[in-house]
Amino acid sequence: MVKKLHFIVLFICALSFGQSKSYNFKAAEINARQQLNSSPEKALAIIKKTLAQDNIHDTVYGKTYNLYGIYYGMTGKPDSTIYYMKKSIKYLEEYPKIKVKSLMNLAIGYRNKGEYTTSISLLNEAVAIQKKLKNNDGLATAYGELATNYNYMTNFERSVDYLLKAIDLYKSVNNRKDLYTVKQKLASTYLAKRNYKFAIDLYRECLTEFKASGLQQNYYITLLNLGDALTHTKQYSEAKKALTEAKTGLKTYGDEELIGICEFRIAELEAILEQKNQALASYKSAVNSLLKAKSVRVVGMGGTYISYLNKLNNSKEALAVIETIENSKKFKNANKEDQLSYQNAIAETYKATNNDKEAIKAYQNTITIMDSIASAQKEIAVQEIQAKFQTELQREKNLALEANNKALQNQMKTEKMLMLLYVFISVAIIVLILLFLRGYWLKNRLQNEELKSIETEKDLIQQQQEHEQELINSQKEIIEEKQRELTSTALRMANYQDNITEIIEKCNANANLNINDIKKELQLLMKQKDYWKQFEIRFNTLHPEFGNVLTSRFPKLTKNDVEFCSLLKLNLSNKEIASLLQISHESAITKKYRIKKKMGINDDAEFEKLLMQI
């Protein structure tokens, strides 16, 4: 009785403590968002803590999984971003205003994988929702993300169109923070269009705003792009300073793709400054980072690295880089300009190594790519590639003609000696044929022996598998038999307890009951085996690690809790357990509930599954 009162007091204290220390989901979300930009790992800790709470509303789940996806997006893991964003959207189907944010983040995840068509489709869906909600702020964000997609696809005109729309919408709602994010994208578009002066002015304007707002990651990305623009305008000292600061800052976020891009820009600058060793090291590090991030940008940037190696006549290293990029299988997802740059580079490598077949194939691929790009500048490039292609074909024809001339000269000399050497050549041919036939016979015989050996080994493996299966089936039968014995013991224990209860009830019902009769019944029970001890021994034999594993994983559980879980593992019902432990059916249910609470489990199915797995 005292023990039960003790449990009741503890339960009431736990409830009162939980009520006094209620979790503030709203404050946690705000804190996590703030930490994402400055300290992603702290944000992750808050996210995990939120998901560990009880009684979470669907909107809280949706928002928290959205933050989880953003975290992985900032650390360069698009597959994880996509997984958590999809999970977020499932919880937010009935809440379109919140769902649309996860939808746009899902589109960003697909874009980072190079799946631009899927990304654009999701963003168009987001645009439709924002228009229906009449949310200009959200609509501007969707336009900005669409612009980024078209920028990656080198459709700069469409990118600028969406960015200008976004800027007008942000100005209409006075959203200064996101306005500068879009201006940063507009600057990157002008950088891609080679309007460097305008891009530099916009980047510097954005840097000031991002630093003041505490948007550290945006600040470092802007520094990276500014360094690229400064390099193109030959402001090398300022470019080096910006890129170095950007690399140091981006490393705190662990985004391998951004780190790789920054290292690539540094390598380009070092190559211009003729710092050969530093440039080679930076190019190599950049490609490794992009491969680690599974970024499609490895194709275009890898092409530039290969071109630099070609310039240094380092064909061996260039071929190694080509093999690495081919193994990444990212070529088909890269944009056309990057594909073109890469194909040109590898064609030069194959040409330098006299691999005319692969060189011609690479030039043909560049022609195919160029045919899909409709611009005057690209048309000129096509002509240049075709000229190279024709040159290679002509070179191959010249080599063939030269070889033919040499063959004719050799033939004239050979004819003079043909009569003298005819007999010797005939004998030599016969000997070679005999040697070839003997070699073929030996090879065939060896193959037959190997086939026999393989068949024998296969039969042995099959016999071993059958033996192992028989052993597994035998062990399974033994375990099932012991399980039945254990259950039987537990039920006999329950019967033993029922007999004691029956004697007590007789005493309560009949005050004049003969003491000798009671004594005889008790003595009869005493002669019976100690079923609980027998049960414990057999259970530990069948499941030797159950108690240790359970207490190590859930240290809050008492010995009585472990014993209760042992009965549950035998698939005994609450009623059977109540009878066995001599408690009420309701007490057995309450006991089970308290154990689940100590273990941090709410679902019965999950609780039973956990016990069965141990």
Coordinates of all heavy atoms in Angstrom, one line a residue, residues 223-303:
L223 N 30.1 38.1 -50.7 CA 31.6 38.3 -50.8 C 32.2 37.4 -51.9 O 33.0 37.9 -52.7 CB 32.2 38.0 -49.5 CG 32.5 39.2 -48.5 CD1 33.1 38.6 -47.2 CD2 33.3 40.3 -49.1
L224 N 31.7 36.2 -52.0 CA 32.2 35.3 -53.0 C 31.9 35.8 -54.4 O 32.8 35.8 -55.2 CB 31.5 33.9 -52.8 CG 31.6 32.9 -53.9 CD1 33.0 32.5 -54.3 CD2 30.8 31.6 -53.6
N225 N 30.7 36.2 -54.6 CA 30.4 36.7 -55.9 C 31.1 38.1 -56.3 O 31.4 38.3 -57.4 CB 28.8 36.9 -56.0 CG 28.1 35.6 -56.0 OD1 28.6 34.6 -56.5 ND2 26.9 35.6 -55.4
L226 N 31.2 38.9 -55.2 CA 31.9 40.2 -55.4 C 33.4 39.9 -55.8 O 33.9 40.6 -56.7 CB 31.9 41.0 -54.1 CG 32.7 42.3 -54.1 CD1 32.2 43.3 -55.2 CD2 32.7 43.0 -52.8
G227 N 34.0 38.9 -55.2 CA 35.4 38.5 -55.5 C 35.5 38.1 -57.0 O 36.5 38.5 -57.7
D228 N 34.5 37.4 -57.5 CA 34.5 36.9 -58.9 C 34.4 38.2 -59.8 O 35.1 38.3 -60.8 CB 33.3 36.0 -59.1 CG 33.3 35.4 -60.5 OD1 34.4 35.3 -61.1 OD2 32.2 35.0 -60.9
A229 N 33.5 39.1 -59.5 CA 33.3 40.3 -60.3 C 34.6 41.1 -60.3 O 35.0 41.7 -61.4 CB 32.1 41.1 -59.8
L230 N 35.2 41.3 -59.1 CA 36.4 42.1 -59.1 C 37.6 41.4 -59.9 O 38.4 42.1 -60.5 CB 36.9 42.2 -57.6 CG 36.0 43.1 -56.7 CD1 36.3 42.9 -55.2 CD2 36.1 44.6 -57.1
T231 N 37.6 40.1 -59.9 CA 38.6 39.4 -60.7 C 38.5 39.8 -62.2 O 39.4 40.0 -62.9 CB 38.5 37.9 -60.5 OG1 38.7 37.6 -59.1 CG2 39.5 37.2 -61.3
H232 N 37.2 39.8 -62.6 CA 36.9 40.1 -64.1 C 37.3 41.5 -64.4 O 37.6 41.8 -65.6 CB 35.5 39.8 -64.4 CG 35.2 38.3 -64.6 ND1 34.6 37.6 -63.5 CD2 35.3 37.5 -65.6 CE1 34.5 36.3 -64.0 NE2 34.9 36.3 -65.2
T233 N 37.3 42.4 -63.4 CA 37.6 43.8 -63.7 C 39.1 44.1 -63.3 O 39.5 45.3 -63.2 CB 36.7 44.7 -62.9 OG1 36.7 44.4 -61.5 CG2 35.3 44.6 -63.4
K234 N 39.9 43.0 -63.1 CA 41.3 43.1 -62.8 C 41.6 43.8 -61.5 O 42.7 44.4 -61.4 CB 42.0 43.7 -64.0 CG 41.9 42.9 -65.3 CD 42.7 43.6 -66.4 CE 42.5 42.7 -67.7 NZ 43.2 43.3 -68.9
Q235 N 40.7 43.8 -60.6 CA 41.0 44.4 -59.2 C 41.4 43.2 -58.3 O 40.7 42.8 -57.4 CB 39.8 45.1 -58.7 CG 39.3 46.2 -59.6 CD 38.0 46.9 -59.1 OE1 38.0 47.4 -57.9 NE2 37.0 46.9 -59.9
Y236 N 42.6 42.7 -58.6 CA 43.0 41.4 -58.1 C 43.2 41.4 -56.6 O 42.9 40.5 -55.9 CB 44.3 40.9 -58.8 CG 44.1 40.7 -60.3 CD1 45.1 41.2 -61.2 CD2 43.0 40.1 -60.8 CE1 44.9 41.1 -62.5 CE2 42.9 39.9 -62.1 CZ 43.8 40.4 -63.0 OH 43.6 40.2 -64.4
S237 N 43.8 42.5 -56.1 CA 44.1 42.6 -54.6 C 42.8 42.5 -53.8 O 42.6 41.8 -52.8 CB 44.8 43.8 -54.3 OG 45.1 44.0 -52.9
E238 N 41.8 43.3 -54.3 CA 40.5 43.4 -53.6 C 39.8 42.0 -53.7 O 39.1 41.5 -52.8 CB 39.6 44.5 -54.1 CG 40.1 45.9 -53.7 CD 39.1 47.0 -54.2 OE1 37.9 46.8 -53.9 OE2 39.5 47.9 -54.9
A239 N 39.9 41.4 -54.9 CA 39.3 40.1 -55.2 C 39.8 39.1 -54.2 O 39.0 38.3 -53.7 CB 39.5 39.7 -56.6
K240 N 41.1 39.0 -54.1 CA 41.7 38.0 -53.2 C 41.3 38.2 -51.8 O 40.9 37.2 -51.1 CB 43.3 38.2 -53.3 CG 44.0 37.2 -52.5 CD 44.1 35.8 -53.1 CE 45.0 34.9 -52.4 NZ 45.1 33.5 -53.1
K241 N 41.2 39.4 -51.3 CA 40.7 39.7 -50.0 C 39.3 39.2 -49.8 O 39.0 38.6 -48.7 CB 40.9 41.2 -49.7 CG 40.5 41.6 -48.3 CD 40.7 43.1 -48.1 CE 40.2 43.5 -46.7 NZ 40.3 45.0 -46.5
A242 N 38.4 39.5 -50.7 CA 37.0 39.2 -50.6 C 36.8 37.6 -50.6 O 36.1 37.1 -49.8 CB 36.2 39.8 -51.7
L243 N 37.5 37.0 -51.5 CA 37.4 35.5 -51.6 C 37.9 34.8 -50.4 O 37.4 33.8 -50.0 CB 38.1 35.0 -52.9 CG 37.4 35.4 -54.2 CD1 38.3 35.1 -55.4 CD2 36.1 34.8 -54.4
T244 N 39.1 35.3 -49.9 CA 39.6 34.6 -48.7 C 38.7 34.7 -47.5 O 38.5 33.8 -46.8 CB 41.0 35.3 -48.3 OG1 41.9 35.2 -49.5 CG2 41.6 34.6 -47.1
E245 N 38.1 35.9 -47.3 CA 37.1 36.1 -46.2 C 35.9 35.3 -46.4 O 35.4 34.7 -45.5 CB 36.7 37.6 -46.1 CG 35.8 37.9 -44.9 CD 35.4 39.3 -44.8 OE1 35.9 40.2 -45.6 OE2 34.5 39.6 -44.0
A246 N 35.5 35.2 -47.6 CA 34.3 34.3 -48.0 C 34.5 32.9 -47.6 O 33.7 32.2 -47.1 CB 33.9 34.5 -49.4
K247 N 35.7 32.4 -48.0 CA 36.0 31.0 -47.8 C 36.1 30.6 -46.3 O 35.5 29.6 -45.8 CB 37.4 30.6 -48.4 CG 37.8 29.2 -48.2 CD 39.2 28.9 -48.9 CE 39.6 27.5 -48.6 NZ 41.0 27.2 -49.2
T248 N 36.7 31.5 -45.5 CA 36.8 31.3 -44.1 C 35.4 31.3 -43.5 O 35.1 30.4 -42.6 CB 37.6 32.4 -43.4 OG1 38.9 32.5 -44.0 CG2 37.7 32.2 -41.9
G249 N 34.5 32.2 -43.9 CA 33.2 32.3 -43.3 C 32.3 31.1 -43.7 O 31.6 30.6 -42.9
L250 N 32.4 30.7 -45.0 CA 31.5 29.6 -45.5 C 31.9 28.3 -44.9 O 31.0 27.4 -44.7 CB 31.6 29.5 -47.0 CG 31.0 30.7 -47.8 CD1 31.4 30.6 -49.3 CD2 29.5 30.7 -47.6
K251 N 33.1 28.1 -44.4 CA 33.5 26.9 -43.8 C 32.8 26.6 -42.5 O 32.6 25.5 -42.1 CB 35.0 26.8 -43.6 CG 35.8 26.5 -44.8 CD 37.3 26.3 -44.5 CE 38.0 25.8 -45.8 NZ 39.5 25.6 -45.5
T252 N 32.3 27.7 -41.9 CA 31.5 27.5 -40.6 C 30.2 26.8 -40.8 O 29.6 26.3 -39.9 CB 31.3 28.8 -39.9 OG1 30.6 29.7 -40.7 CG2 32.7 29.5 -39.6
Y253 N 29.7 26.9 -42.1 CA 28.4 26.3 -42.4 C 28.5 24.9 -43.0 O 27.5 24.2 -43.0 CB 27.6 27.2 -43.4 CG 27.3 28.6 -42.8 CD1 28.1 29.7 -42.9 CD2 26.1 28.7 -42.0 CE1 27.8 30.9 -42.4 CE2 25.8 29.9 -41.4 CZ 26.7 31.0 -41.6 OH 26.3 32.2 -41.0
G254 N 29.7 24.5 -43.4 CA 29.9 23.2 -43.9 C 29.2 22.9 -45.2 O 29.0 21.7 -45.6
D255 N 28.9 23.9 -46.0 CA 28.3 23.7 -47.3 C 29.4 23.5 -48.3 O 30.1 24.4 -48.8 CB 27.4 24.9 -47.7 CG 26.6 24.7 -49.0 OD1 27.1 23.9 -49.8 OD2 25.6 25.3 -49.1
E256 N 29.6 22.2 -48.7 CA 30.8 21.8 -49.5 C 30.6 22.5 -50.9 O 31.6 22.8 -51.6 CB 30.9 20.3 -49.6 CG 31.2 19.6 -48.3 CD 32.7 19.9 -47.9 OE1 33.5 20.4 -48.8 OE2 33.0 19.7 -46.7
E257 N 29.4 22.6 -51.4 CA 29.2 23.2 -52.7 C 29.7 24.7 -52.7 O 30.5 25.1 -53.6 CB 27.8 23.2 -53.2 CG 27.6 23.7 -54.6 CD 26.1 23.6 -55.1 OE1 25.2 23.9 -54.3 OE2 25.9 23.3 -56.2
L258 N 29.3 25.5 -51.8 CA 29.7 26.9 -51.7 C 31.2 27.0 -51.5 O 31.9 27.8 -52.0 CB 29.0 27.6 -50.6 CG 27.5 27.9 -50.9 CD1 26.8 28.5 -49.7 CD2 27.4 28.9 -52.1
I259 N 31.8 26.1 -50.6 CA 33.2 26.1 -50.4 C 33.9 25.8 -51.6 O 34.9 26.4 -52.0 CB 33.5 25.1 -49.2 CG1 33.0 25.5 -47.9 CG2 35.1 24.9 -49.1 CD1 33.0 24.5 -46.8
G260 N 33.4 24.8 -52.4 CA 34.1 24.4 -53.7 C 34.1 25.5 -54.7 O 35.0 25.8 -55.4
I261 N 32.9 26.3 -54.8 CA 32.8 27.4 -55.7 C 33.8 28.5 -55.3 O 34.5 29.1 -56.2 CB 31.4 27.9 -55.7 CG1 30.4 26.9 -56.3 CG2 31.3 29.2 -56.5 CD1 29.0 27.3 -56.1
C262 N 33.9 28.7 -54.0 CA 34.9 29.8 -53.5 C 36.3 29.4 -53.8 O 37.1 30.2 -54.3 CB 34.7 30.0 -52.0 SG 35.5 31.4 -51.4
E263 N 36.7 28.1 -53.6 CA 38.0 27.6 -53.9 C 38.3 27.7 -55.4 O 39.4 28.0 -55.8 CB 38.2 26.2 -53.4 CG 38.2 26.1 -51.9 CD 38.2 24.6 -51.4 OE1 37.6 23.8 -52.1 OE2 38.7 24.3 -50.3
F264 N 37.3 27.5 -56.2 CA 37.4 27.6 -57.7 C 37.7 29.0 -58.1 O 38.6 29.2 -58.9 CB 36.1 27.1 -58.3 CG 36.2 27.2 -59.8 CD1 36.9 26.3 -60.6 CD2 35.5 28.3 -60.5 CE1 36.9 26.5 -62.0 CE2 35.5 28.4 -61.8 CZ 36.2 27.5 -62.6
R265 N 37.0 30.0 -57.5 CA 37.2 31.4 -57.8 C 38.7 31.8 -57.4 O 39.3 32.6 -58.1 CB 36.2 32.3 -57.1 CG 34.8 32.0 -57.5 CD 34.5 32.2 -59.0 NE 33.1 31.9 -59.4 CZ 32.7 31.5 -60.6 NH1 33.6 31.4 -61.5 NH2 31.5 31.2 -60.8
I266 N 39.1 31.3 -56.3 CA 40.4 31.6 -55.8 C 41.5 31.0 -56.8 O 42.5 31.6 -57.2 CB 40.7 31.0 -54.4 CG1 39.8 31.9 -53.4 CG2 42.2 31.1 -54.0 CD1 39.8 31.3 -52.0
A267 N 41.2 29.8 -57.3 CA 42.1 29.1 -58.2 C 42.2 29.9 -59.5 O 43.3 30.1 -60.1 CB 41.6 27.7 -58.5
E268 N 41.0 30.4 -60.0 CA 41.0 31.2 -61.2 C 41.9 32.5 -61.1 O 42.7 32.8 -62.0 CB 39.6 31.7 -61.6 CG 38.8 30.6 -62.2 CD 37.4 31.1 -62.7 OE1 36.8 31.8 -61.9 OE2 37.0 30.7 -63.8
L269 N 41.8 33.1 -59.9 CA 42.6 34.3 -59.6 C 44.1 34.0 -59.6 O 44.9 34.7 -60.1 CB 42.1 34.9 -58.3 CG 42.8 36.2 -57.8 CD1 42.8 37.3 -58.9 CD2 42.3 36.7 -56.5
E270 N 44.4 32.9 -58.9 CA 45.8 32.5 -58.8 C 46.4 32.1 -60.1 O 47.6 32.4 -60.4 CB 45.9 31.3 -57.8 CG 45.7 31.7 -56.4 CD 45.5 30.5 -55.4 OE1 45.2 29.4 -55.9 OE2 45.6 30.7 -54.2
A271 N 45.6 31.5 -61.0 CA 46.0 31.2 -62.4 C 46.3 32.5 -63.1 O 47.3 32.5 -63.9 CB 44.9 30.4 -63.1
I272 N 45.5 33.5 -63.0 CA 45.7 34.8 -63.7 C 47.0 35.4 -63.2 O 47.8 36.0 -64.0 CB 44.5 35.7 -63.4 CG1 43.3 35.2 -64.2 CG2 44.8 37.1 -63.9 CD1 42.0 35.9 -63.8
L273 N 47.2 35.3 -61.9 CA 48.4 35.9 -61.3 C 49.7 35.0 -61.5 O 50.7 35.3 -60.9 CB 48.2 36.1 -59.8 CG 47.1 37.1 -59.4 CD1 46.9 37.2 -57.9 CD2 47.5 38.5 -59.9
E274 N 49.5 33.9 -62.2 CA 50.6 33.0 -62.6 C 51.2 32.3 -61.3 O 52.4 32.0 -61.3 CB 51.7 33.6 -63.4 CG 51.2 34.1 -64.7 CD 52.3 34.8 -65.6 OE1 53.4 34.9 -65.1 OE2 52.0 35.1 -66.8
Q275 N 50.4 32.1 -60.3 CA 50.8 31.3 -59.1 C 50.4 29.9 -59.3 O 49.4 29.4 -58.8 CB 50.1 31.9 -57.9 CG 50.5 33.4 -57.6 CD 49.6 34.0 -56.5 OE1 48.7 33.4 -56.0 NE2 50.0 35.2 -56.1
K276 N 51.2 29.2 -60.1 CA 50.9 27.9 -60.7 C 50.6 26.9 -59.6 O 49.5 26.2 -59.6 CB 52.0 27.4 -61.6 CG 51.7 26.1 -62.2 CD 52.8 25.6 -63.2 CE 54.0 25.1 -62.4 NZ 55.0 24.5 -63.2
N277 N 51.5 26.7 -58.6 CA 51.3 25.7 -57.6 C 50.0 25.9 -56.7 O 49.3 25.0 -56.4 CB 52.5 25.6 -56.7 CG 53.7 25.1 -57.5 OD1 53.6 24.3 -58.4 ND2 54.9 25.4 -57.0
Q278 N 49.9 27.2 -56.4 CA 48.7 27.5 -55.6 C 47.4 27.3 -56.4 O 46.4 26.8 -55.9 CB 48.7 29.0 -55.1 CG 49.8 29.3 -54.1 CD 51.1 29.8 -54.8 OE1 51.5 29.3 -55.9 NE2 51.7 30.9 -54.3
A279 N 47.4 27.6 -57.7 CA 46.2 27.5 -58.5 C 45.9 26.0 -58.6 O 44.7 25.6 -58.5 CB 46.5 28.1 -59.9
L280 N 46.9 25.1 -58.9 CA 46.6 23.7 -59.0 C 46.0 23.1 -57.7 O 45.1 22.3 -57.8 CB 47.9 23.0 -59.4 CG 48.5 23.2 -60.8 CD1 49.9 22.6 -60.9 CD2 47.5 22.5 -61.8
A281 N 46.6 23.5 -56.6 CA 46.1 23.0 -55.3 C 44.6 23.5 -55.1 O 43.8 22.7 -54.7 CB 47.0 23.5 -54.2
S282 N 44.3 24.8 -55.4 CA 43.0 25.3 -55.2 C 42.0 24.6 -56.2 O 40.9 24.3 -55.8 CB 43.0 26.8 -55.4 OG 43.8 27.4 -54.5
Y283 N 42.4 24.4 -57.5 CA 41.5 23.7 -58.4 C 41.2 22.3 -57.9 O 40.0 21.9 -57.9 CB 42.2 23.6 -59.8 CG 42.0 24.8 -60.7 CD1 43.1 25.5 -61.3 CD2 40.7 25.3 -60.9 CE1 42.9 26.6 -62.1 CE2 40.5 26.4 -61.8 CZ 41.6 27.0 -62.4 OH 41.4 28.1 -63.2
K284 N 42.2 21.6 -57.5 CA 42.0 20.2 -57.0 C 41.0 20.2 -55.8 O 40.1 19.4 -55.7 CB 43.3 19.6 -56.7 CG 43.2 18.1 -56.4 CD 44.6 17.5 -56.2 CE 44.5 16.0 -56.0 NZ 45.9 15.4 -55.8
S285 N 41.3 21.1 -54.8 CA 40.4 21.2 -53.7 C 39.0 21.5 -54.0 O 38.1 21.0 -53.5 CB 41.0 22.2 -52.7 OG 40.2 22.3 -51.5
A286 N 38.9 22.4 -55.0 CA 37.5 22.9 -55.4 C 36.7 21.7 -56.0 O 35.6 21.4 -55.7 CB 37.6 24.0 -56.4
V287 N 37.4 20.9 -56.9 CA 36.7 19.8 -57.5 C 36.3 18.7 -56.5 O 35.3 18.2 -56.5 CB 37.6 19.2 -58.6 CG1 37.1 17.8 -59.1 CG2 37.7 20.1 -59.8
N288 N 37.2 18.5 -55.5 CA 36.9 17.5 -54.5 C 35.7 17.9 -53.6 O 34.9 17.1 -53.3 CB 38.2 17.3 -53.5 CG 39.3 16.6 -54.2 OD1 39.0 15.8 -55.2 ND2 40.5 16.7 -53.8
S289 N 35.7 19.2 -53.3 CA 34.5 19.7 -52.5 C 33.2 19.6 -53.3 O 32.2 19.2 -52.7 CB 34.8 21.2 -52.1 OG 35.9 21.4 -51.3
L290 N 33.3 19.9 -54.6 CA 32.1 19.8 -55.4 C 31.6 18.4 -55.6 O 30.4 18.1 -55.6 CB 32.3 20.5 -56.8 CG 32.5 22.0 -56.8 CD1 33.0 22.5 -58.1 CD2 31.2 22.7 -56.4
L291 N 32.6 17.5 -55.7 CA 32.2 16.1 -55.8 C 31.6 15.6 -54.5 O 30.7 14.8 -54.5 CB 33.5 15.2 -56.1 CG 34.0 15.3 -57.6 CD1 35.4 14.7 -57.7 CD2 33.0 14.7 -58.5
K292 N 32.2 16.0 -53.4 CA 31.7 15.6 -52.1 C 30.2 16.1 -51.9 O 29.4 15.4 -51.3 CB 32.5 16.2 -51.0 CG 32.3 15.6 -49.6 CD 33.1 16.3 -48.5 CE 34.6 16.0 -48.7 NZ 35.4 16.6 -47.6
A293 N 29.9 17.3 -52.4 CA 28.6 17.9 -52.3 C 27.7 17.3 -53.4 O 26.5 17.7 -53.4 CB 28.7 19.4 -52.5
K294 N 28.2 16.5 -54.3 CA 27.4 16.0 -55.5 C 26.8 17.1 -56.3 O 25.7 17.0 -56.7 CB 26.3 15.0 -55.0 CG 26.9 13.8 -54.2 CD 25.8 12.9 -53.7 CE 26.3 11.7 -53.0 NZ 25.3 10.8 -52.5
S295 N 27.6 18.1 -56.5 CA 27.1 19.3 -57.2 C 27.3 19.2 -58.7 O 28.3 18.7 -59.2 CB 27.9 20.6 -56.7 OG 27.6 21.7 -57.5
V296 N 26.3 19.6 -59.5 CA 26.4 19.6 -60.9 C 27.4 20.6 -61.4 O 27.9 20.5 -62.6 CB 25.0 19.9 -61.6 CG1 24.1 18.8 -61.3 CG2 24.5 21.2 -61.2
R297 N 27.8 21.6 -60.6 CA 28.8 22.6 -61.0 C 30.2 22.0 -61.2 O 31.1 22.7 -61.8 CB 28.8 23.7 -60.0 CG 27.5 24.5 -59.9 CD 27.7 25.8 -59.2 NE 26.5 26.5 -59.2 CZ 26.4 27.8 -58.9 NH1 27.5 28.5 -58.8 NH2 25.2 28.4 -58.9
V298 N 30.4 20.8 -60.8 CA 31.7 20.1 -61.0 C 32.0 20.0 -62.4 O 33.2 19.9 -62.8 CB 31.7 18.8 -60.2 CG1 30.9 17.7 -61.0 CG2 33.1 18.3 -60.1
V299 N 31.0 19.9 -63.3 CA 31.2 19.7 -64.7 C 31.9 21.0 -65.3 O 32.9 20.9 -66.0 CB 29.8 19.4 -65.5 CG1 30.1 19.3 -67.0 CG2 29.2 18.2 -64.9
G300 N 31.2 22.2 -65.2 CA 31.8 23.4 -65.8 C 33.1 23.8 -65.1 O 34.1 24.1 -65.8
M301 N 33.2 23.7 -63.8 CA 34.4 24.1 -63.1 C 35.5 23.1 -63.3 O 36.7 23.4 -63.4 CB 34.1 24.3 -61.6 CG 33.2 25.5 -61.4 SD 32.8 25.8 -59.7 CE 31.8 27.3 -59.8
G302 N 35.1 21.8 -63.4 CA 36.1 20.8 -63.8 C 36.6 21.0 -65.2 O 37.8 20.7 -65.4
G303 N 35.8 21.4 -66.1 CA 36.3 21.7 -67.4 C 37.3 22.8 -67.4 O 38.3 22.7 -68.2

